[in-house]
Amino acid sequence: MDRINQIFHHPKFQEYVFENGRCEWKREFCRHNLSHFMDVARIAYILNEEENYGFTKDILYGAALLHDIGRHVQYREHRPHAEVSAELAPQILRDCGYSEEESALIISAIATHSDKSLVGERTLNGLLARADQMSRACFSCAVSEKCDWSKERKNRRIEW
């Protein structure tokens, strides 16, 4: 888990999380903050264990912590956050000791995590997309009716 703490303490990671918060401080809906990143990581880890995907914890947590770090750029420049996050992640991964192969795996998952058609795939890409989708507690959200997600996309029941 040392690499996970290195990601968390990395100056660029801290900067990106801060910038996400600056852009979302008035946001009523789900936010893209450390709490969300950790929810995605824990769900991915549970699914990984229960369904025998075979990914290591630091691969799962690395992908989850970095998957939305470019959200602030989406707000400011209208670029897809998955694409931006995949561009921002390599330096952090390299600095935190991930190999080229591990980084490529994580970056691919980050780049495609918004593609909900992947949720059934038994790949890191599919697992991250699925965990991200499952992390949203629409079933208990006070502003769910104002959210622009379709009824089909919203999590209306607790998955266990």
Side-chain angles (χ1 to χ4, degrees):
M1 280 304 260
D2 189 52
R3 295 193 293 185
I4 301 309
N5 283 302
Q6 287 179 28
I7 290 172
F8 176 75
H9 292 290
H10 194 284
K12 286 293 185 186
F13 177 78
Q14 291 291 320
E15 175 188 333
Y16 302 146
V17 172
F18 178 79
E19 289 302 319
N20 281 359
R22 283 182 50 161
C23 289
E24 293 186 337
W25 74 277
K26 286 186 176 182
R27 184 178 164 96
E28 288 183 275
F29 308 107
C30 301
R31 294 188 180 182
H32 302 87
N33 54 21
L34 188 58
S35 179
H36 168 61
F37 301 162
M38 292 302 292
D39 287 345
V40 173
R42 291 178 179 128
I43 291 168
Y45 181 71
I46 291 167
L47 294 172
N48 182 66
E49 292 297 305
E50 289 181 349
E51 299 175 12
N52 299 310
Y53 278 79
F55 296 108
T56 61
K57 202 175 210 180
D58 55 343
I59 295 295
L60 296 169
Y61 274 71
L65 284 174
L66 298 171
H67 82 283
D68 279 340
I69 59 172
R71 192 67 165 182
H72 62 281
V73 176
Q74 180 172 333
Y75 293 122
R76 293 175 177 147
E77 299 176 16
H78 307 289
R79 292 179 56 211
H81 76 276
E83 173 186 301
V84 175
S85 298
E87 292 171 5
L88 298 175
Q91 177 188 353
I92 297 171
L93 291 167
R94 186 172 41 257
D95 291 350
C96 295
Y98 285 82
S99 71
E100 290 295 323
E101 182 179 287
E102 291 171 323
S103 293
L105 181 68
I106 291 169
I107 292 163
S108 176
I110 291 169
T112 62
H113 82 270
S114 295
D115 184 348
K116 300 310 174 203
S117 71
L118 300 177
V119 298
E121 285 189 6
R122 292 193 52 83
T123 62
L124 184 60
N125 300 53
L127 184 58
L128 185 62
R130 186 171 162 206
D132 188 39
Q133 176 75 26
M134 290 176 71
S135 73
R136 301 309 187 174
C138 306
F139 52 83
S140 66
C141 178
V143 293
S144 180
E145 297 309 315
K146 292 196 248 177
C147 178
D148 64 0
W149 273 20
S150 67
K151 285 186 179 183
E152 296 77 32
R153 191 170 177 204
K154 289 180 183 175
N155 295 327
R156 294 289 190 184
R157 55 198 249 6
I158 297 172
E159 296 285 332
W160 53 280

